[in-house]
């Protein structure tokens, strides 16, 4: 690993940075850009410099209610809008986002410390996914069923007001997934992360003139009060959440206490990559590093943070992993050469470093990283970290760290590998590396994970369902037709046909 303390990239873009931060950041409620009703704000901070970036509205309960009520008022009109017209408006929004791609990427980089190269990728994926959902719009169709001599048919109808709540690691990309419920005919209220709200609030500005008032509403808030009020609002019928397991469970409780609501959760992971003795060593090792998502400082629920290596190739694979780790460039997220940025804030940095200490105290060996790199000033860096001799039952092997910490474990048999991989609360992703096709499918099928790779890691694909099992989530998969359909309800119509004249 090399550490940079680069200021040149920031100095070169000073005027541009000042320009994107100079505007007021406001919520979107009922087609109006607005501050909190009582003027309350909170401040977002650049995790690289420690400097304040912007003041953001801190919504009050009345603001959340106003957003939900605006969505409810827009429901009938948006529902009756032809699906092709709804898709056309989303395509227009996707074009507008693409036109402002660099500005939105810059906001995410400043706000959460994601390297600018990654932030640009997020914007590109966001636009591609919006266009994918628009292209799937005419799949919101029913069916006919030959259940009897009558005509039995089904229709897909919008569910009603949708609440979308998401985390800081991909703010703009997650915000743009609102395309799915919007195309399905549902007005939405979205709540961006307090640690990274700026790109979503800017999205509200861009969308205001492209969507009817109340169809898209955005409320910001610091802490749990805003999302709790939102999921409890009686107008909200459908909730889509991405984030941690504890927060997901809290949302389930709040929703259940106030109504019968459809809740889907995409939560955390403690995901395993299994490398067998016949796998190509260098390719598997580099895939392990890529799958750990060091480029986002490990702040990704799908990271394969447990690397299980067959005992006979353990040392060889580990050496290649370390070699790849040493190529990571930690530095200013605005520098295009940076391949790992900051943690989102001091609390996340401290949590990751605390887990490293816990692991070493439990007997793990620190091979790389485990520190905040020197001479980085206020930046919330954690060096890319590799721990070996990790016990399968230790905390570092069981609990989601959400930081750049890779735990390496040994196994001797296929059965042992599967047991270790499955012996966690979570079940989001998993990966298998082997040249034995029978074993590859056997192990992939045995892994308790919703999304797996054979001889790969990390990649998502258009219209391929993504989501987990166990404590990693519940409900419809995302990034696919299934997600679009999940924002509809199915109505059955039975037409009793008289076969003979009266």
């Amino acid at each position: 690993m090399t550490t940079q303390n680069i200021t040149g990239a920031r100095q070169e873009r000073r005027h541009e940075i000042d320009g994107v931060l100079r505007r007021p950041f406001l919520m979107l409620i009922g087609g109006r850009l607005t501050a909190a009703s009582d003027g309350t704000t909170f401040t977002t901070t650049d995790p690289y410099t420690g400097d304040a970036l912007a003041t953001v509205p801190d919504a009050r309960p009345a603001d959340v209610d106003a957003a939900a009520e605006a969505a409810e008022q827009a429901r009938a009109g948006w529902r009756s809008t032809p699906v092709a017209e709804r898709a056309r408006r989303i395509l227009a929004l996707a074009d507008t986002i693409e036109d402002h791609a660099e500005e939105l990427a810059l906001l995410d980089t400043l706000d959460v410390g994601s390297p600018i190269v990654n932030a640009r990728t997020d914007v590109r994926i966001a636009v591609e996914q919006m266009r994918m959902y628009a292209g799937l719009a005419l799949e919101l169709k029913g069916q006919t069923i030959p259940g009897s001599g009558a005509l039995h048919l089904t229709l897909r109808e919008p569910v009603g007001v949708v609440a979308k709540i998401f985390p800081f690691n991909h703010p703009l990309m997650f915000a743009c997934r609102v395309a799915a419920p919007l195309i399905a005919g549902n007005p939405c209220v979205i709540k961006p992360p307090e640690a990274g709200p700026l790109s979503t609030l800017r999205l509200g500005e861009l969308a205001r003139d492209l969507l009817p008032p109340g169809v898209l509403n955005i409320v910001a808030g610091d802490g749990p009060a805003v999302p709790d009020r939102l999921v409890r609002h009686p107008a909200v019928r459908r909730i889509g959440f991405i984030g941690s397991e504890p927060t997901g469970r809290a949302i389930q409780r709040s929703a259940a206490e106030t109504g019968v609501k459809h809740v889907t959760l995409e939560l955390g992971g403690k995901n395993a990559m299994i490398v067998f003795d016949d796998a190509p060593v260098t390719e598997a090792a580099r895939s392990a590093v890529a799958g750990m998502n060091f480029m986002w400082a490990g702040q990704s629920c799908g990271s394969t943070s447990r690397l299980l290596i067959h005992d006979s190739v353990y040392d060889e694979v580990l050496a290649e992993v370390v070699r790849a780790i040493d190529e990571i460039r930690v530095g200013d997220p605005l520098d295009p050469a940076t391949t790992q940025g900051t943690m989102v804030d001091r609390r996340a940095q401290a949590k990751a470093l605390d887990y490293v200490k816990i692991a070493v105290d439990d007997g793990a060996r620190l091979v790389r990283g485990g520190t905040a790199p020197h001479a980085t000033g206020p930046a919330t860096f954690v060096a890319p970290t590799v721990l070996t001799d990790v016990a399968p039952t230790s905390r570092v092997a069981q609990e989601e760290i959400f930081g750049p910490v890779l735990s390496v474990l040994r196994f001797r048999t296929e059965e042992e590998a599967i047991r270790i991989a499955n012996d966690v609360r979570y079940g989001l992703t998993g990966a298998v590396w082997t040249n034995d096709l029978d074993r590859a499918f056997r192990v992939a099928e045995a892994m308790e994970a919703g999304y797996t790779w054979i001889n790969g890691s990390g990649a998502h694909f258009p219209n391929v369902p993504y989501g987990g099992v166990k404590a990693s989530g519940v409900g419809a998969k995302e990034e696919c037709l299934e997600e679009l359909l999940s924002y509809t309800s199915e109505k059955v119509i039975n037409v009793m046909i008289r076969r003979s004249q009266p």
Side-chain angles (χ1 to χ4, degrees), residues 80-346:
S80 64
T81 301
V83 66
E85 172 61 15
R86 298 195 300 253
R88 187 195 67 77
R89 288 178 179 261
I90 294 302
L91 287 172
L93 180 55
D95 291 345
T96 300
I97 292 167
E98 190 171 55
D99 290 342
H100 291 80
E102 187 62 18
E103 172 194 355
L104 293 165
L106 181 58
L107 285 172
D108 273 357
T109 293
L110 294 170
D111 218 6
V112 301
S114 177
I116 188 65
V117 173
N118 296 350
R120 289 169 179 155
T121 299
D122 274 5
V123 178
R124 176 182 57 77
I125 292 172
V127 170
E128 289 174 354
Q129 289 183 341
M130 294 176 79
R131 290 170 176 161
M132 178 194 74
Y133 290 126
L136 292 170
L138 295 182
E139 293 302 313
L140 292 167
K141 59 191 178 184
Q143 57 182 326
T144 58
I145 305 165
S148 72
L151 173 63
H152 309 281
L153 59 92
T154 67
L155 305 175
R156 288 281 179 181
E157 297 184 328
V159 294
V161 175
V162 171
K164 294 276 285 180
I165 304 166
F166 49 90
F168 63 82
N169 48 338
H170 303 280
L172 190 277
M173 186 176 76
F174 287 153
C176 289
R177 288 192 192 162
V178 75
L182 289 176
I183 289 170
N186 307 285
C188 296
V189 183
I190 64 177
K191 193 275 176 186
E194 57 264 40
L198 298 184
S199 63
T200 303
L201 296 176
R202 177 61 176 139
L203 173 66
E205 289 186 79
L206 300 175
R208 181 178 57 156
D209 296 330
L210 298 174
L211 297 169
V215 168
L216 176 62
N217 305 273
I218 300 172
V219 291
D222 188 12
V226 168
D228 185 68
R229 183 79 171 200
L230 180 57
V231 301
R232 289 177 180 273
H233 196 281
V236 173
R237 300 183 182 181
R238 171 76 166 87
I239 299 159
F241 173 74
I242 304 173
S244 71
E245 180 200 354
T247 304
R249 292 169 65 185
I251 285 172
Q252 283 182 314
R253 284 193 300 271
S254 295
E257 288 171 358
T258 53
V260 179
K261 307 190 180 196
H262 180 185
V263 181
T264 54
L265 307 174
E266 197 265 273
L267 307 176
K270 194 66 185 178
N271 311 296
M273 174 184 288
I274 302 173
V275 179
F276 284 96
D277 53 353
D278 62 341
V281 169
T282 300
E283 193 176 351
R286 291 195 171 270
S287 181
V289 173
M292 183 56 228
N293 291 311
F294 286 106
M295 71 285 286
W296 283 286
Q299 296 170 118
S300 175
C301 54
S303 298
T304 45
S305 55
R306 293 181 299 148
L307 175 58
L308 282 57
I309 307 174
H310 190 275
D311 186 66
S312 66
V313 292
Y314 182 91
D315 292 338
E316 192 177 358
V317 174
L318 178 59
E320 289 295 330
V321 166
V322 170
R323 193 170 291 118
I325 291 286
D326 289 341
E327 295 172 5
I328 294 173
R329 299 187 69 182
V330 177
D332 184 350
L334 279 178
D335 185 350
T338 293
T339 55
Q340 181 183 315
T342 65
M343 304 295 289
V344 70
D345 56 27
R346 287 284 177 207

Side-chain angles (χ1 to χ4, degrees), residues 268-271 424-429 448-451 467-472:
K270 194 66 185 178
N271 311 296
V424 292
R425 293 174 51 80
Y426 300 100
L428 184 52
T429 71
E448 294 172 353
Y451 193 93
V469 298
K470 298 163 67 174
S472 290

